[in-house]
């Protein structure tokens, strides 16, 4: 009682001095602190309850298919692995890694969910040889497997307004070492404090006083989360008080696991340009190219170490600092029992293992991405894409894209000064499916500017000619590849009264020539005579079926006086390369939502094909272009075994250089020229063809069969009358014909000479008529 009495007497004595401060503090508490705390509490709860992390839409290449017989070179496989973020660690036993021993590759795939269902992670052995995959073995079962797919490379990202890269994880999916290590390094009392660790504050203050400068922080995980979600990084007293109060309020309303879950998905761990890396899942892909659950202890330690300063300890810019910081974190893992001392020492002895290029591509291939956006616009608007959490799977093949860029760069440089003003574009497709494998819109790789592959409408020259011959060959009773065509001069009056007098590139006329030679040598006059005989409206109608409705139906159309973009030329040639199937060119295979569900598939069901016998005849004739015609350099090179079917094209005054060619499974269309439309001084064979050759020297591909296609038979024909002839007869030419289209009777050389004596022939004279004004187009 005496004690209580003494206290009361002291209080009565002090009250006159404490009365005013007491009422001021009480007024401040009820008038400001309590209402302010209630406002902050409401703000914290509203923000945290509605917390939905913006996950950007990711764009992926096609998965790499590995199966016996698939064309594949070691360099190509390594390019594909590099683009997909795989690390060559010498072992290949951790998902996202590979190792090479001779021609054998040991690969641990990461698995993926795609529009085709995706694949589970696998540990495989891939044997390469003779330009193909020889075998694929699942090392878990030691069984040969028919095929598998590697997870695709991430090639672009459609970011929201904040330009943040993020992947969402549930706390239950986070490796225990990361959860424990994060607390050991950043907040050892996380499970016990109320949001602010007063003991840590005193400890840090004492350490700072001893050092004379800031050496130790005292922010808890909760405070760091509050700072990221609600506050700026201004070093003011007001901001620090808000941070402390909001941290306490956050701990009052939410349990520790919810706070830790948000922190792991929110923490800032890096930057690439204007793109921020948020959360440990995104950081794992950015620095190591692997998912978080597949990281080794030393890699987890590096990510934890980055929390203190992603810029200061950036492993790519400051590897020595990052290594020291990582090893310090490993020491803390050991001191808290998360790792044994031996484990920590073994981890410290390893290199950082960071991949060279971070997995934050923002439109790495802009020309291709323009095509992707054009094809998904009807299904997904820009807002939907930016809201994110979608995965767009495309048909792009990274190795093909890279090789195409390199082929253009090499060719442009080889032109010397001519290359300074020369531009280029290319489209590469799968000749069987219409999948677009690569698009290059500029000679500068990654150029975000004008996309010449899609938007440059240029005269295509003789690249149009195979389609003139195709329409004719759909009438096998009238024309075959040995039919003689008239290559004599033509003069036609234009609407303005001036004459139109096209000529051959060599300024010569060659008389009566077999159709196959007219195409192989790209003779303009023979082609015009043929086209006029077939009927220009019929040829225009055929081209209209490909959506080329703006073509003017004049005779100049027959030698390429029409403007098309490389993507349109590729669409035309896709019809030939796919054996008469009108397949639309697709750049997107499907779209998957954040839960791995396919919400849209893009695929084409090919029909029975059209005019296939005529298509196969034209294909064979185009192989002669690459054997002895305008693209004969192919037959004289290491690519002879591919038996390429192709066609050169050169516009008037050497302004545009084109080449379109296909193998058994790949179609490539190249254009070269100048943006100002001045002469490039390049023929199709000296510009675009050279770039095509540069590509296919590297690109694994299947040869095109040199034999005539199904439904054709080889026959010796007398070109003067189109009838079967004996091989020893003068002028007899062996070409494929549609089976059953010729009489089985063969005329002897005697009757052939008699027929020739009386001038037998099949070519009709060219009709005269009005044509629209145009320039002469060469081959």
């Amino acid at each position: 009682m005496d004690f209580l009495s003494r206290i009361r007497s002291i209080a009565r004595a002090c009250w006159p001095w404490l009365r005013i401060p007491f009422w001021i503090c009480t007024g401040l508490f009820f008038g400001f602190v309590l209402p302010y705390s209630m406002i902050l509490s409401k703000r914290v709860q509203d923000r945290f309850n509605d917390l939905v992390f913006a996950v950007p839409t990711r764009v992926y290449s096609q998965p790499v298919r590995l199966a016996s017989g698939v064309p594949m070179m070691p360099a190509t496989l390594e390019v594909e692995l590099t683009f997909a973020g795989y690390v060559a660690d010498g072992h290949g036993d951790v998902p996202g890694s590979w190792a090479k021993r001779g021609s054998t590759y040991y690969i641990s795939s990461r698995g993926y969910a795609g529009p085709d269902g995706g694949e589970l992670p696998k540990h495989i052995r891939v044997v390469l040889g003779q330009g193909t995959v020889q075998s694929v073995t699942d090392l878990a079962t030691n069984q040969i497997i028919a095929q598998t797919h590697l997870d695709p490379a991430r090639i672009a990202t459609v970011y929201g307004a904040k330009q943040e890269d993020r992947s969402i994880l549930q706390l239950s999916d986070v490796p225990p070492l990361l959860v424990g290590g994060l607390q050991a390094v950043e907040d050892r009392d996380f499970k016990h404090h109320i949001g602010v660790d007063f003991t840590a504050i005193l400890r840090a203050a004492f350490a700072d006083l001893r050092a004379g400068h800031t050496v130790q922080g005292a922010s808890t995980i909760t405070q760091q989360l509050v700072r990221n979600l609600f506050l700026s990084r201004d070093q003011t007293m007001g901001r620090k008080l808000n941070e402390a109060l909001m941290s306490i309020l956050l701990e009052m309303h939410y349990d520790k696991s919810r706070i830790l879950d948000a922190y792991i998905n929110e923490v800032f761990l890096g930057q690439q340009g204007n793109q921020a890396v948020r959360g440990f899942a995104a950081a794992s892909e950015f620095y190591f190219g692997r998912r978080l659950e597949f990281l080794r202890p030393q890699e987890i330690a590096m990510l934890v170490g980055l929390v203190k300063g992603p810029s200061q300890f950036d492993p790519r810019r400051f590897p020595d600092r990052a290594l020291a910081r990582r090893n310090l974190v490993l020491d803390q893992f050991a001191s808290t029992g998360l790792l044994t001392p031996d484990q920590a020492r073994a981890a410290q002895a390893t290199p950082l293992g960071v991949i060279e290029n971070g997995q934050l591509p923002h439109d790495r291939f802009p020309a291709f991405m323009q095509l992707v956006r054009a094809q998904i616009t009807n299904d997904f608007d820009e807002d939907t894409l930016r809201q994110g959490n979608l995965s767009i799977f495309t048909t792009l093949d990274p190795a093909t894209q890279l090789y195409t860029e390199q082929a253009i760069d090499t060719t442009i440089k080889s032109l010397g000064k001519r290359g300074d003003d020369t531009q280029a574009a290319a489209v590469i497709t799968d000749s069987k499916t219409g999948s677009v494998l690569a698009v290059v819109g500029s000679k500068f790789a990654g150029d975000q500017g004008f996309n010449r592959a899609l938007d440059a409408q240029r005269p295509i020259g003789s690249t149009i000619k195979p389609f003139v011959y195709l329409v004719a060959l759909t009438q096998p009773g009238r024309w075959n590849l040995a039919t003689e065509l008239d290559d004599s001069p033509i003069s036609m009056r234009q609407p303005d009264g001036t004459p139109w007098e096209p000529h051959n590139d060599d300024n010569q006329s060659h008389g009566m020539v077999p159709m196959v030679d007219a195409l192989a040598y790209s003779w303009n006059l023979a082609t015009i005579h043929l086209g006029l005989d077939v009927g220009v409206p019929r040829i225009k109608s055929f081209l209209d079926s490909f959506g080329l409705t703006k073509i003017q139906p004049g005779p100049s159309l027959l030698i390429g006086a029409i403007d098309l973009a490389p993507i349109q030329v590729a669409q035309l040639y896709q019809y030939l390369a796919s054996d008469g199937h009108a397949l639309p060119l697709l750049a997107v295979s499907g779209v998957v939502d954040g839960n791995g569900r396919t919400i849209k598939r893009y695929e084409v069901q090919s029909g029975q094909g059209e005019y296939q016998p005529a298509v196969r005849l034209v294909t064979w004739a185009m192989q002669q272009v690459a054997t002895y015609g305008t693209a004969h350099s192919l037959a004289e090179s290491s690519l002879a075994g591919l038996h390429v079917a192709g066609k050169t094209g050169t516009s008037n005054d050497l302004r545009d250089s084109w080449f379109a060619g296909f193998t058994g499974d790949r179609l490539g269309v190249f254009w070269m020229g100048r943006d100002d439309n001045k002469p490039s001084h390049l023929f199709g064979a000296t510009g675009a063809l050279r770039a095509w050759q540069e590509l296919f020297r590297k690109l694994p591909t299947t040869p095109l069969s040199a034999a005539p296609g199904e439904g054709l038979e080889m026959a010796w024909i007398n070109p003067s009358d189109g009838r079967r002839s004996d091989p020893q007869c003068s002028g007899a030419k062996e070409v494929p014909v549609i089976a059953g289209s010729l009489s089985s009777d063969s005329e002897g050389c005697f009757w052939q000479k008699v027929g020739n004596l009386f001038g037998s022939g099949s070519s009709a004279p060219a009709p005269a008529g009005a044509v629209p004004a145009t320039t002469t187009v060469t081959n």
Side-chain angles (χ1 to χ4, degrees):
M1 292 296 293
D2 291 341
F3 176 75
L4 292 176
S5 298
R6 194 177 302 114
I7 293 297
R8 281 196 294 270
S9 63
I10 293 173
R12 280 195 297 270
C14 293
W15 176 247
W17 302 95
L18 298 176
R19 180 179 57 191
I20 294 176
F22 173 78
W23 288 116
I24 290 174
C25 290
T26 301
L28 285 173
F29 178 77
F30 286 101
F32 176 73
V33 175
L34 184 59
Y36 185 66
S37 297
M38 293 175 66
I39 293 171
L40 281 184
S41 179
K42 179 70 163 57
R43 180 185 171 193
V44 167
Q45 290 183 77
D46 288 347
R47 174 76 171 89
F48 210 73
N49 287 337
D50 295 336
L51 187 61
V52 177
F53 296 115
V55 180
T57 289
R58 292 174 167 84
V59 186
Y60 295 92
S61 68
Q62 63 171 251
V64 180
R65 178 172 173 261
L66 296 173
S68 179
V70 169
M72 184 67 68
M73 301 295 290
T76 305
L77 179 57
E78 292 173 22
V79 167
E80 299 282 8
L81 290 167
T82 300
F83 263 98
Y86 279 69
V87 178
D89 65 355
H91 303 288
D93 53 4
V94 176
S97 67
W98 63 277
K100 178 183 179 181
R101 299 183 184 93
S103 59
T104 301
Y105 289 79
Y106 297 84
I107 305 170
S108 286
S109 67
R110 293 169 294 214
Y112 67 96
D116 58 352
E119 296 236 9
L120 294 172
K122 288 186 177 69
H123 188 200
I124 59 174
R125 180 176 61 238
V126 180
V127 179
L128 303 183
Q130 299 179 343
T132 66
V133 176
Q134 297 293 301
S135 66
V136 182
T137 305
D138 187 337
L139 293 177
T141 62
N142 205 32
Q143 297 291 317
I144 297 289
I145 53 178
Q147 73 170 9
T148 189
H149 295 82
L150 301 181
D151 41 301
R154 183 172 159 198
I155 60 171
T157 309
V158 183
Y159 289 98
K162 291 187 177 181
Q163 295 287 295
E164 294 176 346
D165 193 75
R166 194 195 312 268
S167 297
I168 300 302
L169 282 176
Q170 299 298 319
L171 190 60
S172 58
D173 297 326
V174 178
L177 181 60
L178 175 61
V179 177
L182 194 59
Q183 295 174 60
V185 175
E186 290 296 318
D187 190 355
R188 292 193 181 185
D189 204 32
F190 173 73
K191 294 180 180 179
H192 307 293
H193 61 62
I194 61 170
V196 178
D197 189 344
F198 296 102
T199 302
I201 292 173
L202 291 173
R203 185 172 60 247
F206 180 70
D208 293 348
L209 285 172
R210 287 183 59 187
H213 57 91
T214 301
V215 295
Q216 187 171 326
S219 293
T220 64
I221 284 176
T222 310
Q223 286 176 279
Q224 293 178 40
L225 179 61
V226 165
R227 191 182 308 139
N228 287 337
L229 291 179
F230 304 107
L231 302 172
S232 70
R233 293 187 174 270
D234 297 337
Q235 296 297 317
T236 63
M237 184 59 67
R239 199 275 297 161
K240 292 181 179 180
L241 289 174
N242 275 335
E243 179 185 298
L245 182 55
M246 295 174 83
S247 297
I248 293 171
L249 292 170
L250 193 64
E251 294 265 1
M252 288 173 57
H253 294 296
Y254 303 98
D255 60 34
K256 296 286 186 178
S257 62
R258 177 78 184 278
I259 293 170
L260 194 58
D261 184 289
Y263 181 87
I264 285 171
N265 287 299
E266 170 62 24
V267 63
F268 173 68
L269 291 171
Q271 188 91 12
Q272 186 180 62
N274 64 345
Q275 302 161 42
V277 182
R278 293 281 182 183
F280 283 95
S284 177
E285 296 177 7
F286 180 55
Y287 291 111
F288 300 109
R290 300 200 303 279
R291 293 201 297 267
L292 191 61
E293 60 265 38
F294 298 136
L295 294 191
R296 304 176 181 91
Q298 62 268 27
E299 295 162 342
I300 290 175
M302 198 205 81
L303 295 184
V304 171
L306 282 174
V307 172
K308 184 176 181 180
S311 298
Q312 181 183 3
F313 300 108
D314 185 330
R316 296 191 181 98
R317 296 176 58 203
F318 309 111
D320 293 338
R321 289 184 200 169
L323 186 65
R325 175 65 180 164
R326 184 204 69 176
N327 289 345
L328 178 61
V329 170
L330 286 169
D331 284 336
Q332 292 177 287
F333 283 7
S335 66
T336 54
L338 294 171
L339 295 176
T340 67
D342 288 343
Q343 288 173 325
R345 282 192 293 272
Q348 288 172 335
T350 64
L352 285 173
V354 175
I355 59 177
E356 183 176 350
N357 296 312
Q359 294 293 291
L360 285 185
H362 180 59
D363 216 354
R364 165 66 177 83
F365 306 117
F368 182 85
M369 280 301 298
Q370 183 180 335
L371 183 60
V372 169
R373 287 179 181 274
Q375 294 191 352
I376 64 175
T377 298
N378 292 334
D379 302 301
F380 303 93
D381 58 29
E382 194 67 25
D383 288 340
T384 301
L385 294 176
R386 289 189 179 279
Q387 288 169 8
N389 210 16
L390 298 176
S391 294
I392 300 174
F393 287 82
T394 73
T395 60
L396 181 132
D397 179 71
T400 301
Q401 178 73 34
L402 179 65
Y403 290 163
T404 306
E405 293 173 354
Q406 292 174 345
I408 287 175
D409 182 63
T410 299
T411 304
I412 292 289
K413 288 179 178 177
S414 72
L415 298 176
K417 290 184 177 181
R418 282 187 301 169
D420 294 345
D421 297 316
T422 302
Q423 266 292 351
V427 177
I428 315 301
T429 73
D430 183 315
S431 62
K432 301 304 181 186
T433 66
S435 297
V436 180
L437 305 178
V439 177
V440 178
S442 168
K443 66 178 178 180
F444 303 111
D447 188 353
Q448 300 279 343
F450 182 56
N451 186 352
R452 295 160 189 82
L454 272 58
D455 300 326
Q457 300 279 323
R458 306 288 297 219
I460 68 170
S462 296
T463 318
I464 195 66
K465 289 178 182 174
F467 302 95
V468 176
Y469 290 77
L470 173 64
V471 176
L473 290 168
T474 60
Q475 302 178 65
R478 189 172 183 187
W479 285 288
N480 59 52
L481 290 178
T483 300
E484 284 192 331
L485 303 181
D486 184 5
D487 193 54
S488 63
I490 294 174
S491 180
M492 303 177 71
R493 192 168 300 280
Q494 301 182 108
D496 63 0
T498 60
W500 181 60
E501 297 179 342
H503 55 80
N504 289 324
D505 179 58
D506 59 5
N507 292 312
Q508 302 290 321
S509 61
H510 306 91
M512 303 302 293
V513 296
M515 180 186 288
V516 64
D517 290 350
L519 181 60
Y521 293 116
S522 198
W523 285 326
N524 291 333
L525 300 177
T527 303
I528 294 170
H529 279 290
L530 173 65
L532 292 173
D533 204 7
V534 170
V536 174
R538 287 195 62 209
I539 296 168
K540 179 184 182 302
S541 178
F542 178 77
L543 297 175
D544 286 346
S545 68
F546 292 89
L548 307 177
T549 55
K550 296 181 180 180
I551 295 175
Q552 296 298 318
S556 59
L557 160 67
L558 303 172
I559 51 175
I562 57 172
D563 295 349
L564 297 180
I567 189 72
Q568 294 173 301
V569 176
Q571 181 66 81
L572 280 173
Y573 273 79
Q574 185 68 41
Y575 177 75
L576 300 176
S578 60
D579 195 32
H581 294 86
L583 301 177
L585 301 184
L586 286 181
V588 183
S589 59
V591 180
V592 175
D593 67 15
N595 297 315
R597 294 191 297 265
T598 299
I599 57 178
K600 182 70 177 179
R601 286 180 64 91
Y602 297 82
E603 53 187 347
V604 177
Q605 297 294 333
S606 61
Q608 295 299 312
E610 299 177 301
Y611 309 123
Q612 286 177 300
V615 168
R616 291 164 185 166
L617 288 173
V618 170
T619 297
W620 188 88
M622 289 169 62
Q623 288 178 301
Q624 311 318 302
V625 173
T627 300
Y628 63 84
T630 56
H632 62 87
S633 60
L634 284 168
E636 298 164 1
S637 71
S638 59
L639 302 179
L642 294 179
H643 307 300
V644 176
K647 186 67 189 77
T648 55
T650 312
S651 69
N652 189 55
D653 296 329
L654 304 182
R655 287 187 170 91
D656 301 273
S657 169
W658 292 86
F659 184 74
F662 55 91
T663 63
D665 60 356
R666 295 290 182 264
L667 162 67
V669 173
F670 282 78
W671 166 85
M672 296 179 72
R674 290 175 56 132
D675 287 338
D676 59 12
N677 203 33
K678 292 181 179 179
S680 66
H681 303 290
L682 295 173
F683 292 96
T686 58
L689 174 58
R690 290 170 61 182
W692 194 99
Q693 288 175 292
E694 285 290 338
L695 169 62
F696 279 81
R697 286 191 185 101
K698 292 183 179 179
L699 187 67
T701 186
T702 301
L704 189 63
S705 174
E710 183 181 354
L712 305 182
E713 61 179 353
M714 295 300 293
W716 285 92
I717 296 178
N718 175 9
S720 64
D721 61 11
R723 298 177 60 186
R724 287 183 185 269
S725 174
D726 292 337
Q728 64 270 22
C729 292
S730 174
K733 196 167 188 68
E734 187 181 33
V735 295
V737 296
I738 298 173
S741 63
L742 291 180
S743 169
S744 59
D745 295 335
S746 175
E747 66 178 15
C749 299
F750 172 79
W751 292 111
Q752 174 190 330
K753 293 176 182 178
V754 172
N756 291 342
L757 183 65
F758 289 95
S760 164
S762 61
S763 295
V771 298
T774 182
T775 56
T776 300
V777 182
T778 67
N779 66 336

